[in-house]
Amino acid sequence: MFENKEKTEINELGEFGLIKHLTSRFAIKNSESIKGIGDDAAVLDGKGKQVLISTDLLLEGIHFDLAYVPLIHLGYKAVQVNLSDIYAMNGMASSITVSIGLSSKFPLEAVEEIYKGIELACNRFNIDLVGGDTSASKQGLVISITSIGYVDADKVVYRSGANENDLLCVSGDLGGAYVGLQILEREKLIYLENPQIQPDLEGKDYIIERQLKPEARKDVVALLDDLNIKPTSMIDVSDGLASEILHLAEQSGKGFTIYEDKIPLDPMTYETARELGLDPTVCALSGGEDYELLFTISQDDYKKLKNDVDVTVIGHVTDKNSGCKMVSKSDQVHELTAQGWNAFKR
Ligand code: ADP
Ligand code: MG
């Protein structure tokens, strides 16, 4: 990946030199961040709000494949994935810590690329980098990010608050990240067979971006606040729509019914799924990594939201005994499972 670029051995800098080198460009932006990098612990001021903390661990070969993930995107996405969890609590993220494990194959330039992506995400979402840890790794790259956010005590939204007859809403569109991944995997196989062939990603930019460069939906949290809507329950779509609905159902002790024809799909997602012989609905239900927000609102709030094109009502909350169901385009009722739904019964 960085064959032709300049390489500086990390050992030349030493651990503290490396930390300084990587973090010197990060200035503190939020008044909540009292002390960032440089002491034994960061000091944060919640200003009377409740504190939200979420961590993700990303392992090379398990969560990402450096054959097609540019390092700058990896850094960017690692932050987004984490911020998404804070937004899913209806809070605002304000800082992160970043811990990395580096194998000897990584030159300084490679780590710099990761930090460029982290910096981009921090600047775009107004996040402070307030700490982390750095270590050698025997094999492969490890990145763990912790994000810290704040929310007013009366505004925090759990997965458990859905009420019967609430409307189920989702932001943006679904399935794109998964279909984008299928294209990247396909091009990787072609490349491995014949390195002369350049990847053919033409006309696929949106879904490739959905996979490589997801954007956490801070804007949706802000929108809901503007509209004076507090969702009754909320989760971010990391594992696929079906799996997230099952989480809301279980934790709220309710059932859900969704309508296949309401699931928002981008035309490129739809067409590319078809090209690849995949069912676009299954891609949305089981694909994951869309990082959209899935939430329930009371019916009274519907009028405040109905003109917003970026939020789609896809179903409603039922009683627990009704289970989690999808009404298909042909009006058949299917049970939702964590793998999406049983496509064979169609
Ligand atoms: P300690 O010995 O207490 O673990 P370190 O020497 O590892 O401290 O870290 C020094 C400072 O640099 C701390 O503020 C720490 O949070 C920060 N830091 C270490 N590694 C990273 C990293 N990869 N990214 C950002 N900050 C880091
Ligand atoms: Mg340390």
Side-chain angles (χ1 to χ4, degrees):
M1 238 179 153
F2 11 85
E3 290 86 8
N4 303 321
K5 301 194 184 137
E6 206 177 316
K7 284 185 207 169
T8 311
E9 283 269 352
I10 283 180
N11 290 341
E12 287 176 31
L13 285 138
E15 185 187 333
F16 301 123
L18 175 65
I19 296 170
K20 218 176 212 159
H21 183 82
L22 292 174
T23 60
S24 61
R25 294 164 54 90
F26 289 79
I28 294 291
K29 303 184 267 284
N30 293 294
S31 59
E32 286 88 352
S33 310
I34 296 173
K35 175 73 190 175
I37 292 165
D39 214 307
D40 294 312
V43 181
L44 307 173
D45 183 355
K47 300 181 176 170
K49 295 190 177 202
Q50 290 189 343
V51 184
L52 304 166
I53 298 182
S54 179
T55 294
D56 279 305
L57 177 63
L58 299 175
L59 305 176
E60 181 179 351
I62 308 277
H63 303 99
F64 57 89
D65 184 338
L66 290 180
Y68 52 72
V69 178
L71 290 163
I72 186 166
H73 286 116
L74 180 64
Y76 190 83
K77 179 169 174 175
V79 177
Q80 295 300 331
V81 166
N82 228 274
L83 299 182
S84 180
D85 287 321
I86 301 291
Y87 302 135
M89 303 300 291
N90 205 34
M92 279 293 155
S94 92
S95 52
I96 55 168
T97 64
V98 175
S99 298
I100 46 174
L102 300 165
S103 70
S104 56
K105 75 172 178 186
F106 284 92
L108 175 66
E109 287 74 14
V111 194
E112 280 176 344
E113 282 296 301
I114 298 172
Y115 268 75
K116 268 188 211 160
I118 293 173
E119 190 185 350
L120 209 61
C122 284
N123 288 341
R124 209 171 270 178
F125 284 72
N126 197 37
I127 305 294
D128 292 325
L129 175 66
V130 295
D133 204 17
T134 308
S135 169
S137 142
K138 277 214 167 147
Q139 232 184 4
L141 175 65
V142 179
I143 305 182
S144 177
I145 298 193
T146 297
S147 52
I148 300 121
Y150 302 102
V151 62
D152 287 326
D154 58 346
K155 291 218 171 119
V156 62
V157 175
Y158 296 101
R159 296 177 177 180
S160 57
N163 301 308
E164 222 173 305
N165 299 321
D166 281 354
L167 300 174
L168 181 65
C169 307
V170 69
S171 63
D173 55 76
L174 299 173
Y178 177 77
V179 179
L181 179 64
Q182 303 316 304
I183 293 289
L184 289 168
E185 294 270 9
R186 183 187 72 181
E187 295 306 314
K188 177 187 164 186
L189 288 181
I190 293 172
Y191 175 82
L192 289 177
E193 271 170 30
N194 189 347
Q196 259 49 271
I197 299 178
Q198 287 298 309
D200 177 18
L201 304 175
E202 205 158 290
K204 305 291 183 204
D205 354 355
Y206 178 68
I207 53 173
I208 301 286
E209 280 204 6
R210 293 289 288 170
Q211 170 56 225
L212 293 182
K213 217 170 75 59
E215 302 278 326
R217 299 308 304 261
K218 177 184 182 179
D219 60 326
V220 173
V221 176
L223 172 79
L224 291 171
D225 192 47
D226 281 349
L227 296 175
N228 220 350
I229 296 174
K230 183 188 168 192
T232 51
S233 68
M234 185 148 64
I235 189 168
D236 68 327
V237 182
S238 53
D239 295 335
L241 178 62
S243 163
E244 315 308 354
I245 289 174
L246 293 175
H247 283 305
L248 293 180
E250 190 191 328
Q251 299 216 19
S252 297
K254 296 287 181 290
F256 280 83
T257 297
I258 64 166
Y259 298 88
E260 183 182 14
D261 62 351
K262 302 278 189 232
I263 298 174
L265 296 170
D266 184 83
M268 195 189 291
T269 302
Y270 187 89
E271 279 153 30
T272 311
R274 285 276 181 234
E275 270 167 49
L276 297 172
L278 300 168
D279 183 327
T281 301
V282 174
C283 293
L285 289 172
S286 311
E289 292 202 284
D290 291 311
Y291 299 106
E292 295 296 339
L293 290 175
L294 178 71
F295 54 95
T296 52
I297 59 170
S298 100
Q299 293 209 12
D300 297 339
D301 282 334
Y302 174 66
K303 55 185 178 305
K304 303 181 197 164
L305 200 71
K306 69 174 195 286
N307 292 326
D308 197 282
V309 291
D310 206 22
V311 174
T312 311
V313 177
I314 58 170
H316 60 270
V317 183
T318 61
D319 67 71
K320 185 181 175 142
N321 293 333
S322 305
C324 292
K325 302 270 157 61
M326 181 180 79
V327 179
S328 77
K329 289 175 186 164
S330 54
D331 262 346
Q332 282 179 293
V333 178
H334 301 272
E335 182 141 356
L336 290 174
T337 66
Q339 274 75 45
W341 57 296
N342 194 339
F344 299 109
K345 280 201 268 176
R346 225 176 184 194

